Amino acid sequence: MEINIFKIAVFIVLVLVYLAVRKFFKKVADVTETIGKSADHEDELKALNTKIATLEQQINNKA
C-alpha cells in the first residue's frame, strides 16, 4: 500500500514541477517579447524621424 501512496506523491510532485517550469518559461517569453517590441518601436521612430528631416529639407529648399 505504501508503494501506491509513494507513486501518487511522486506524480503530484512532478506535476507541480512541470507547472512551475512552464510558468517560469512563460514569464521569460513575455519579457523577451516586450524587449523585442520596444526595439522595433525605436527603429521605427528613428526611420520616421529621418523621413521628417528629409521632408523638412525638401520644403525649405522649395521655399
Side-chain angles (χ1 to χ4, degrees):
M1 197 69 179
E2 288 182 30
I3 295 174
N4 291 334
I5 294 172
F6 180 74
K7 286 182 180 180
I8 292 171
V10 169
F11 177 74
I12 291 171
V13 168
L14 286 176
V15 169
L16 292 175
V17 168
Y18 167 76
L19 293 174
V21 169
R22 185 175 170 190
K23 187 175 182 179
F24 170 75
F25 281 113
K26 184 176 186 214
K27 287 184 180 182
V28 170
D30 290 343
V31 168
T32 56
E33 182 180 4
T34 303
I35 292 170
K37 284 183 179 179
S38 66
D40 291 341
H41 291 302
E42 289 176 10
D43 293 340
E44 192 173 329
L45 285 174
K46 286 179 185 177
L48 290 174
N49 285 333
T50 56
K51 287 181 183 180
I52 290 171
T54 56
L55 289 173
E56 286 176 347
Q57 288 175 354
Q58 288 176 357
I59 290 170
N60 290 335
N61 289 338
K62 289 182 181 178

Coordinates of all heavy atoms in Angstrom, one line a residue:
M1 N 0.8 -1.2 0.0 CA 0.0 0.0 0.0 C 0.9 1.3 0.0 O 0.5 2.3 -0.6 CB -0.9 0.0 1.2 CG -2.1 0.9 1.1 SD -3.2 0.4 -0.1 CE -4.4 1.6 0.0
E2 N 2.0 1.2 0.7 CA 2.9 2.4 0.7 C 3.4 2.7 -0.7 O 3.6 3.9 -1.0 CB 4.0 2.1 1.7 CG 3.6 2.1 3.1 CD 4.8 1.9 4.0 OE1 5.9 2.3 3.6 OE2 4.6 1.3 5.1
I3 N 3.6 1.7 -1.5 CA 4.2 2.0 -2.8 C 3.2 2.8 -3.6 O 3.6 3.7 -4.3 CB 4.5 0.6 -3.5 CG1 5.6 -0.1 -2.8 CG2 4.9 0.9 -5.0 CD1 6.0 -1.4 -3.3
N4 N 1.9 2.5 -3.5 CA 0.9 3.3 -4.3 C 0.9 4.7 -3.8 O 0.8 5.6 -4.6 CB -0.4 2.6 -4.2 CG -0.5 1.3 -4.9 OD1 0.2 1.1 -5.8 ND2 -1.4 0.4 -4.4
I5 N 0.9 4.9 -2.5 CA 0.9 6.3 -2.0 C 2.2 7.0 -2.4 O 2.1 8.2 -2.8 CB 0.8 6.3 -0.4 CG1 -0.6 5.7 0.0 CG2 1.0 7.6 0.1 CD1 -0.7 5.5 1.4
F6 N 3.3 6.3 -2.4 CA 4.6 6.9 -2.8 C 4.5 7.3 -4.3 O 4.9 8.4 -4.7 CB 5.7 6.0 -2.6 CG 7.1 6.5 -3.0 CD1 7.7 7.5 -2.3 CD2 7.7 6.0 -4.2 CE1 8.9 8.0 -2.7 CE2 8.9 6.5 -4.6 CZ 9.5 7.5 -3.8
K7 N 4.0 6.5 -5.2 CA 3.9 6.8 -6.6 C 2.9 8.0 -6.8 O 3.2 8.8 -7.7 CB 3.4 5.6 -7.4 CG 4.4 4.5 -7.5 CD 3.9 3.3 -8.3 CE 4.9 2.2 -8.5 NZ 4.4 1.1 -9.2
I8 N 1.9 8.0 -6.1 CA 0.9 9.2 -6.2 C 1.6 10.5 -5.8 O 1.5 11.5 -6.5 CB -0.3 8.9 -5.4 CG1 -1.1 7.8 -6.0 CG2 -1.2 10.2 -5.3 CD1 -2.3 7.3 -5.2
A9 N 2.4 10.4 -4.7 CA 3.1 11.6 -4.2 C 4.1 12.1 -5.2 O 4.2 13.3 -5.5 CB 3.7 11.3 -2.9
V10 N 4.8 11.1 -5.8 CA 5.8 11.5 -6.8 C 5.2 12.1 -8.0 O 5.7 13.1 -8.6 CB 6.7 10.2 -7.2 CG1 7.5 10.5 -8.4 CG2 7.5 9.8 -6.0
F11 N 4.1 11.5 -8.4 CA 3.3 12.1 -9.6 C 2.9 13.5 -9.3 O 3.0 14.4 -10.2 CB 2.1 11.2 -9.9 CG 1.3 11.7 -11.0 CD1 1.7 11.6 -12.3 CD2 0.1 12.3 -10.8 CE1 1.0 12.1 -13.4 CE2 -0.7 12.8 -11.8 CZ -0.3 12.7 -13.1
I12 N 2.4 13.7 -8.1 CA 1.9 15.1 -7.8 C 3.1 16.1 -7.8 O 3.0 17.2 -8.3 CB 1.2 15.1 -6.4 CG1 -0.2 14.3 -6.6 CG2 0.9 16.5 -5.9 CD1 -0.9 14.1 -5.3
V13 N 4.2 15.6 -7.3 CA 5.4 16.5 -7.2 C 5.9 16.8 -8.7 O 6.2 17.9 -9.0 CB 6.5 15.8 -6.4 CG1 7.8 16.6 -6.6 CG2 6.1 15.8 -5.0
L14 N 5.8 15.8 -9.5 CA 6.3 16.0 -10.9 C 5.3 17.0 -11.6 O 5.8 17.8 -12.4 CB 6.3 14.7 -11.7 CG 7.5 13.8 -11.3 CD1 7.4 12.4 -12.1 CD2 8.8 14.5 -11.7
V15 N 4.0 16.9 -11.4 CA 3.1 17.8 -12.0 C 3.3 19.2 -11.5 O 3.3 20.2 -12.3 CB 1.6 17.3 -11.7 CG1 0.6 18.4 -12.1 CG2 1.3 16.0 -12.4
L16 N 3.6 19.4 -10.2 CA 3.9 20.7 -9.7 C 5.2 21.3 -10.3 O 5.2 22.5 -10.6 CB 3.9 20.7 -8.2 CG 2.6 20.4 -7.5 CD1 2.9 20.2 -6.0 CD2 1.6 21.4 -7.7
V17 N 6.2 20.5 -10.4 CA 7.4 20.9 -11.0 C 7.2 21.3 -12.5 O 7.7 22.4 -12.9 CB 8.5 19.8 -10.9 CG1 9.7 20.2 -11.8 CG2 8.9 19.6 -9.5
Y18 N 6.4 20.5 -13.2 CA 6.1 20.8 -14.6 C 5.4 22.2 -14.7 O 5.7 23.0 -15.5 CB 5.2 19.7 -15.2 CG 4.6 20.1 -16.5 CD1 5.4 20.1 -17.7 CD2 3.3 20.5 -16.6 CE1 4.8 20.5 -18.9 CE2 2.7 20.8 -17.8 CZ 3.5 20.8 -18.9 OH 2.9 21.2 -20.1
L19 N 4.4 22.4 -13.8 CA 3.7 23.7 -13.9 C 4.6 24.9 -13.5 O 4.5 25.9 -14.1 CB 2.5 23.6 -12.9 CG 1.3 22.6 -13.3 CD1 0.3 22.5 -12.2 CD2 0.7 23.0 -14.7
A20 N 5.5 24.7 -12.5 CA 6.4 25.7 -12.1 C 7.3 26.1 -13.3 O 7.6 27.3 -13.6 CB 7.1 25.4 -10.9
V21 N 7.9 25.1 -13.9 CA 8.8 25.3 -15.1 C 8.1 26.0 -16.2 O 8.6 26.9 -16.8 CB 9.5 24.0 -15.5 CG1 10.2 24.2 -16.8 CG2 10.4 23.5 -14.4
R22 N 6.9 25.6 -16.5 CA 6.1 26.1 -17.6 C 5.8 27.6 -17.3 O 5.9 28.5 -18.2 CB 4.8 25.3 -17.7 CG 3.9 25.7 -18.8 CD 2.7 24.8 -19.0 NE 1.8 25.4 -19.9 CZ 0.6 25.0 -20.1 NH1 0.2 23.9 -19.4 NH2 -0.2 25.5 -21.0
K23 N 5.4 27.9 -16.0 CA 5.1 29.3 -15.7 C 6.4 30.2 -15.8 O 6.3 31.3 -16.3 CB 4.6 29.3 -14.2 CG 4.1 30.7 -13.8 CD 3.5 30.6 -12.4 CE 3.0 32.0 -12.0 NZ 2.3 31.9 -10.7
F24 N 7.5 29.6 -15.4 CA 8.8 30.4 -15.5 C 9.1 30.7 -16.9 O 9.4 31.8 -17.2 CB 9.9 29.5 -14.8 CG 11.3 30.1 -15.1 CD1 11.7 31.2 -14.5 CD2 12.1 29.5 -16.1 CE1 13.0 31.8 -14.7 CE2 13.4 30.0 -16.3 CZ 13.8 31.2 -15.6
F25 N 9.0 29.7 -17.8 CA 9.3 30.0 -19.2 C 8.3 30.9 -19.9 O 8.7 31.6 -20.8 CB 9.5 28.7 -20.0 CG 10.8 28.0 -19.8 CD1 10.9 26.8 -19.1 CD2 12.0 28.6 -20.2 CE1 12.1 26.2 -18.9 CE2 13.2 28.0 -20.0 CZ 13.3 26.8 -19.3
K26 N 7.1 30.9 -19.4 CA 6.1 31.8 -19.9 C 6.5 33.2 -19.6 O 6.4 34.2 -20.4 CB 4.7 31.5 -19.4 CG 3.7 32.4 -20.0 CD 2.3 32.0 -19.5 CE 1.3 32.9 -20.3 NZ 0.2 33.3 -19.7
K27 N 7.0 33.5 -18.3 CA 7.4 34.8 -17.9 C 8.6 35.2 -18.7 O 8.7 36.4 -19.1 CB 7.7 34.8 -16.4 CG 6.5 34.8 -15.6 CD 6.8 34.9 -14.1 CE 5.6 34.9 -13.2 NZ 5.9 35.0 -11.8
V28 N 9.6 34.3 -18.9 CA 10.7 34.6 -19.7 C 10.3 35.0 -21.2 O 10.9 36.0 -21.7 CB 11.7 33.4 -19.8 CG1 12.8 33.6 -20.8 CG2 12.3 33.2 -18.4
A29 N 9.4 34.3 -21.7 CA 8.9 34.6 -23.1 C 8.3 36.0 -23.1 O 8.5 36.7 -24.1 CB 8.0 33.5 -23.6
D30 N 7.5 36.3 -22.1 CA 6.8 37.6 -22.1 C 7.8 38.7 -22.0 O 7.7 39.8 -22.7 CB 5.9 37.7 -20.9 CG 4.6 36.8 -21.1 OD1 4.4 36.4 -22.3 OD2 3.9 36.5 -20.1
V31 N 8.9 38.5 -21.2 CA 9.9 39.6 -21.0 C 10.6 39.8 -22.4 O 10.9 40.9 -22.8 CB 10.9 39.2 -19.9 CG1 12.1 40.1 -19.9 CG2 10.2 39.3 -18.6
T32 N 11.0 38.7 -23.0 CA 11.8 38.8 -24.3 C 10.9 39.4 -25.4 O 11.4 40.2 -26.2 CB 12.3 37.5 -24.7 OG1 11.3 36.5 -24.8 CG2 13.4 37.0 -23.7
E33 N 9.6 39.1 -25.3 CA 8.7 39.7 -26.3 C 8.6 41.2 -26.1 O 8.6 42.0 -27.0 CB 7.3 39.1 -26.2 CG 6.3 39.6 -27.2 CD 5.0 38.9 -27.1 OE1 4.8 38.1 -26.2 OE2 4.1 39.2 -27.9
T34 N 8.5 41.6 -24.9 CA 8.4 43.1 -24.5 C 9.7 43.8 -25.0 O 9.6 44.9 -25.5 CB 8.2 43.3 -23.0 OG1 7.0 42.5 -22.6 CG2 8.1 44.7 -22.7
I35 N 10.8 43.2 -24.7 CA 12.1 43.7 -25.2 C 12.2 43.9 -26.7 O 12.6 44.9 -27.2 CB 13.3 42.9 -24.6 CG1 13.4 43.0 -23.1 CG2 14.6 43.4 -25.3 CD1 14.4 42.1 -22.5
G36 N 11.7 42.9 -27.4 CA 11.7 42.9 -28.8 C 10.8 43.9 -29.4 O 11.1 44.6 -30.4
K37 N 9.6 44.1 -28.8 CA 8.7 45.1 -29.3 C 9.3 46.5 -29.1 O 9.1 47.4 -29.9 CB 7.3 45.0 -28.6 CG 6.5 43.8 -29.0 CD 5.2 43.8 -28.4 CE 4.3 42.7 -28.9 NZ 3.0 42.6 -28.2
S38 N 9.9 46.8 -27.9 CA 10.4 48.1 -27.7 C 11.5 48.4 -28.7 O 11.7 49.6 -29.1 CB 10.9 48.2 -26.3 OG 12.0 47.4 -26.0
A39 N 12.3 47.5 -29.0 CA 13.4 47.7 -30.0 C 12.8 48.0 -31.4 O 13.4 48.8 -32.1 CB 14.3 46.4 -30.1
D40 N 11.7 47.3 -31.7 CA 11.1 47.6 -33.0 C 10.6 49.0 -33.1 O 10.7 49.7 -34.1 CB 10.0 46.6 -33.3 CG 10.5 45.2 -33.5 OD1 11.7 45.0 -33.9 OD2 9.7 44.2 -33.4
H41 N 10.0 49.5 -32.0 CA 9.4 50.8 -32.0 C 10.5 51.8 -32.1 O 10.4 52.9 -32.8 CB 8.6 51.0 -30.7 CG 7.3 50.3 -30.6 ND1 6.4 50.4 -31.6 CD2 6.9 49.4 -29.8 CE1 5.4 49.6 -31.3 NE2 5.7 48.9 -30.2
E42 N 11.7 51.6 -31.5 CA 12.8 52.5 -31.5 C 13.3 52.6 -33.0 O 13.6 53.8 -33.5 CB 13.9 52.1 -30.6 CG 13.6 52.3 -29.1 CD 14.7 51.7 -28.2 OE1 15.8 51.4 -28.7 OE2 14.5 51.7 -27.0
D43 N 13.4 51.5 -33.7 CA 13.9 51.6 -35.0 C 12.9 52.3 -35.9 O 13.3 53.1 -36.8 CB 14.1 50.1 -35.6 CG 15.2 49.4 -34.9 OD1 16.1 50.1 -34.3 OD2 15.3 48.2 -34.9
E44 N 11.6 52.0 -35.7 CA 10.6 52.7 -36.5 C 10.6 54.2 -36.2 O 10.4 55.0 -37.2 CB 9.2 52.1 -36.1 CG 8.1 52.5 -37.0 CD 6.8 51.7 -36.7 OE1 6.9 50.6 -36.2 OE2 5.7 52.3 -36.9
L45 N 10.8 54.6 -35.0 CA 10.8 56.0 -34.7 C 12.0 56.7 -35.3 O 11.9 57.8 -35.8 CB 10.9 56.3 -33.2 CG 9.6 56.1 -32.4 CD1 9.8 56.2 -30.9 CD2 8.6 57.1 -32.8
K46 N 13.2 56.0 -35.3 CA 14.3 56.6 -36.0 C 14.1 56.8 -37.5 O 14.5 57.8 -38.1 CB 15.6 55.7 -35.8 CG 16.1 55.8 -34.4 CD 17.3 54.8 -34.2 CE 17.8 54.8 -32.8 NZ 18.9 53.8 -32.6
A47 N 13.5 55.8 -38.1 CA 13.2 55.9 -39.5 C 12.2 57.0 -39.8 O 12.4 57.8 -40.8 CB 12.6 54.5 -40.0
L48 N 11.2 57.2 -39.0 CA 10.2 58.3 -39.2 C 10.9 59.6 -39.0 O 10.6 60.6 -39.7 CB 9.0 58.1 -38.3 CG 8.1 56.9 -38.6 CD1 7.1 56.8 -37.5 CD2 7.4 57.1 -40.0
N49 N 11.8 59.7 -38.0 CA 12.5 61.0 -37.8 C 13.4 61.4 -38.9 O 13.4 62.6 -39.3 CB 13.2 60.9 -36.5 CG 12.4 61.0 -35.3 OD1 11.3 61.6 -35.3 ND2 12.8 60.5 -34.1
T50 N 14.0 60.4 -39.5 CA 14.9 60.7 -40.7 C 14.0 61.1 -41.9 O 14.4 62.1 -42.6 CB 15.7 59.5 -41.1 OG1 14.9 58.4 -41.3 CG2 16.8 59.2 -40.0
K51 N 12.8 60.5 -42.1 CA 11.9 60.9 -43.1 C 11.4 62.3 -42.9 O 11.4 63.1 -43.9 CB 10.8 59.9 -43.2 CG 11.1 58.6 -43.8 CD 9.9 57.7 -43.9 CE 10.3 56.3 -44.4 NZ 9.1 55.4 -44.5
I52 N 11.1 62.7 -41.7 CA 10.7 64.0 -41.4 C 11.7 65.0 -41.7 O 11.5 66.1 -42.2 CB 10.2 64.1 -39.9 CG1 8.9 63.3 -39.7 CG2 10.0 65.5 -39.4 CD1 8.5 63.2 -38.2
A53 N 13.0 64.7 -41.3 CA 14.1 65.6 -41.5 C 14.3 65.8 -43.0 O 14.5 67.0 -43.5 CB 15.3 65.1 -40.9
T54 N 14.2 64.8 -43.8 CA 14.4 65.0 -45.3 C 13.3 65.8 -45.9 O 13.5 66.6 -46.8 CB 14.6 63.6 -46.0 OG1 13.4 62.8 -45.7 CG2 15.8 62.9 -45.5
L55 N 12.0 65.5 -45.4 CA 10.9 66.3 -45.9 C 11.0 67.8 -45.6 O 10.7 68.6 -46.4 CB 9.6 65.7 -45.4 CG 9.2 64.3 -46.0 CD1 8.0 63.8 -45.3 CD2 8.9 64.5 -47.5
E56 N 11.5 68.1 -44.4 CA 11.7 69.4 -44.0 C 12.8 70.1 -44.8 O 12.6 71.3 -45.2 CB 12.1 69.5 -42.5 CG 11.0 69.3 -41.5 CD 11.4 69.3 -40.1 OE1 12.6 69.2 -39.8 OE2 10.5 69.3 -39.2
Q57 N 13.8 69.4 -45.1 CA 14.8 69.9 -46.0 C 14.3 70.2 -47.4 O 14.6 71.2 -48.0 CB 16.0 69.0 -46.1 CG 16.9 68.9 -44.8 CD 18.0 67.9 -44.9 OE1 18.0 67.1 -45.9 NE2 18.8 67.9 -43.9
Q58 N 13.5 69.3 -47.9 CA 12.9 69.5 -49.2 C 12.0 70.7 -49.3 O 11.9 71.5 -50.2 CB 12.1 68.2 -49.7 CG 13.0 67.1 -50.0 CD 12.1 65.8 -50.4 OE1 10.9 65.8 -50.3 NE2 12.8 64.7 -50.7
I59 N 11.2 70.9 -48.2 CA 10.3 72.0 -48.1 C 11.1 73.3 -48.0 O 10.8 74.3 -48.7 CB 9.3 71.9 -46.9 CG1 8.3 70.8 -47.1 CG2 8.6 73.2 -46.6 CD1 7.5 70.4 -45.9
N60 N 12.2 73.3 -47.2 CA 13.0 74.5 -47.1 C 13.7 74.9 -48.5 O 13.9 76.0 -48.8 CB 14.0 74.4 -46.0 CG 13.4 74.4 -44.6 OD1 12.3 74.9 -44.5 ND2 14.0 73.7 -43.7
N61 N 14.1 73.9 -49.2 CA 14.7 74.1 -50.5 C 13.8 74.7 -51.5 O 14.1 75.5 -52.4 CB 15.3 72.8 -51.0 CG 16.5 72.4 -50.2 OD1 17.2 73.2 -49.6 ND2 16.9 71.1 -50.3
K62 N 12.5 74.3 -51.5 CA 11.5 74.8 -52.4 C 11.1 76.2 -52.1 O 10.7 77.0 -52.9 CB 10.3 73.9 -52.4 CG 10.5 72.5 -53.1 CD 9.3 71.7 -53.2 CE 9.6 70.3 -53.8 NZ 8.4 69.5 -53.8
A63 N 11.1 76.5 -50.8 CA 10.7 77.9 -50.4 C 11.8 78.9 -50.5 O 12.4 79.4 -51.3 CB 10.3 77.9 -48.9

